[in-house]
Amino acid sequence: MSPLLRPQPRSGVLDIKAYVPGKSSAPGVAKVFKLSSNETPLGPSPKAVEAYRAVATHLEDYPDGAATELREAIGRAFGLDPDRIVCGAGSDDLLNLLARAYLQDGDEAVHTTHGFLVYPIATLGAGAKPVVAAEKHYTADVDAMIAAMTPKTKIVFLANPNNPTGTYNPFDEVKRLHRALPPHVLLVLDAAYAEYVRRNDYEAGIELVATSENVVMCRTFSKIHGLAALRLGWMYGPAHVVDAVNRIRGPFNVNAPAIAAGIAAIQDTAHQDYSREHNTRWLAWLTEEIGKLGLKVTPSVANFVLIHFPEEPGRTAKEADAFLTSRGIIMRQVAAYHLPNALRCSVGTEEANRLVIEALGEFLAGAR
Ligand SMILES: Cc1ncc(COP(=O)(O)O)c(C=O)c1O
């Protein structure tokens, strides 16, 4: 039957390469260390788990569609007006809502070569065209992003820090990018890994949102807060953007257990500090130890490292991935991010991190 005789998705939808999440199993291996999705190895705050469980007695009730208590808790934690916060089913939800609200057929949205894959998916899903700006040293290049803009550009997506590279742009650079944008172009600052960054010249973007009409910051509970399974994210934006997103979001896009766990998690700063300290220590250790093995690591400020493998038979990323998987270590292949010979490895528990170094050493020794 001719395809024209059946329902047709809007233009762009069939150009989307569906997002492939990190692998989570290693067949035949007793103990598996999943380091493929940048989840925290320390889990969520026990208080968040307790709050989640308490909701189980009221599953018949709809959640508060406005997530008011959660927005108030986030507002208190960051000193923000809760009316300028929108919560979503993960920050993915918010990125898609922003694309739907601000892009239409024929528009363009800029993202960077190794930028987070949800940006082109959200852009194409909204009928618009993703435009790729080249990176420099695996880092978003503000000049290239500015050069990639055309009169059709409506959104510029910047992951800061970026996944899967782990690199970041100093706040001065973000402000320079913003200054170059016409006022009708929305700058989306995706700060999913902000809590892990320990750099004096980094800012997630709160100040820029507070002082502009065209900047939004997205955050997630999936990383340092350890609530990826619940799907919870939030954005802070100008009142008019918040209004637009609120009009199109699902009326109950955030579920009740996520709201309860999110409130407890954002208040448990001790657990956040503990998770950040673990990450700071083991990120540095992994970077150094992988370097000592002779592999290149892109300097990361997030909770993962990007490891580059030699272009030699027996030593490639694909072969390393197969070897590591046989040892129960699951990393993320990043060919879809135009990094065919690299693997992304999340910072794990001490046991997992030590095993990574041991197994990589064995892999490279075997390859000789
Ligand atoms: C840069 C970036 N943004 C957003 C997300 C989405 O997070 P979530 O939808 O779980 O909140 C991720 C998750 O990997 C990410 O790496």
Side-chain angles (χ1 to χ4, degrees), residues 13-337:
V13 170
L14 298 183
D15 296 328
I16 293 174
K17 289 195 190 92
Y19 186 87
V20 181
K23 280 190 295 184
S24 54
S25 63
V29 183
K31 190 161 184 186
V32 171
F33 296 91
K34 183 175 179 240
L35 304 173
S36 58
S37 298
N38 300 341
E39 294 143 343
T40 169
L42 305 180
S45 154
K47 291 175 186 154
V49 177
E50 203 178 302
Y52 165 85
R53 286 214 177 100
V55 180
T57 52
H58 292 289
L59 294 184
E60 69 282 12
D61 295 337
Y62 278 97
D64 167 17
T68 305
E69 284 181 35
L70 174 59
R71 287 187 297 105
E72 284 170 356
I74 295 168
R76 276 194 302 278
F78 290 92
L80 306 178
D81 176 0
D83 288 343
R84 292 187 44 187
I85 293 172
V86 186
C87 296
S91 44
D92 286 353
D93 185 23
L94 297 163
L95 293 167
N96 277 289
L97 288 167
L98 288 165
R100 254 177 65 206
Y102 289 96
L103 296 174
Q104 46 195 320
D105 291 0
D107 286 345
E108 294 176 357
V110 172
H111 69 98
T112 65
T113 315
H114 309 299
F116 185 46
L117 273 179
V118 166
Y119 311 147
I121 293 175
T123 301
L124 286 164
K129 183 177 153 205
V131 174
V132 180
E135 296 188 9
K136 253 191 199 155
H137 310 299
Y138 301 105
T139 308
D141 174 4
V142 164
D143 293 311
M145 294 179 85
I146 295 168
M149 286 194 289
T150 76
K152 292 177 181 168
T153 308
K154 295 290 161 53
I155 294 185
V156 173
F157 288 106
L158 177 66
N160 198 26
N162 185 44
N163 165 25
T165 53
T167 55
Y168 79 106
N169 293 91
F171 192 42
D172 278 353
E173 281 291 278
V174 178
K175 284 195 282 196
R176 189 163 75 81
L177 171 63
H178 175 247
R179 278 196 301 273
L181 299 186
H184 66 276
V185 174
L186 184 66
L187 175 60
V188 177
L189 298 175
D190 179 356
Y193 301 94
E195 293 86 351
Y196 289 113
V197 185
R198 292 243 160 129
R199 291 289 188 281
N200 289 335
D201 57 357
Y202 173 80
E203 295 273 344
I206 287 174
E207 179 197 318
L208 207 51
V209 175
T211 55
S212 339
E213 286 295 310
N214 64 337
V215 185
V216 169
M217 173 191 70
C218 292
R219 303 287 286 259
T220 183
F221 281 84
S222 301
K223 307 300 172 186
I224 206 160
H225 297 293
L227 297 175
L230 293 182
R231 313 303 306 124
L232 184 60
W234 59 281
M235 57 161 252
Y236 172 55
H240 66 98
V241 177
V242 165
D243 175 53
V245 171
N246 272 331
R247 286 170 196 263
I248 59 167
R249 70 176 172 82
F252 304 101
N253 61 332
V254 179
N255 65 72
I259 290 174
I263 293 168
I266 205 89
Q267 290 171 348
D268 193 346
T269 51
H271 187 76
Q272 293 161 39
D273 291 344
Y274 162 61
S275 306
R276 183 168 26 246
E277 274 155 30
H278 174 90
N279 191 70
T280 303
R281 174 175 173 210
W282 290 102
L283 177 71
W285 187 84
L286 276 173
T287 306
E288 194 180 325
E289 294 297 319
I290 297 170
K292 281 190 208 158
L293 293 172
L295 296 172
K296 281 207 186 85
V297 182
T298 301
S300 168
V301 296
N303 68 337
F304 55 87
V305 286
L306 185 68
I307 311 170
H308 303 267
F309 288 80
E311 305 271 352
E312 292 164 27
R315 295 181 148 229
T316 63
K318 231 178 165 168
E319 286 157 303
D321 189 36
F323 181 88
L324 294 166
T325 303
S326 74
R327 297 293 164 99
I329 298 166
I330 305 181
M331 292 190 188
R332 179 63 159 268
Q333 288 201 22
V334 281
Y337 285 94

Side-chain angles (χ1 to χ4, degrees), residues 343-359:
L343 293 177
R344 192 193 68 198
C345 174
S346 308
V347 172
T349 56
E350 172 169 357
E351 183 187 5
N353 299 332
R354 292 195 185 280
L355 204 65
V356 162
I357 298 305
E358 200 181 298

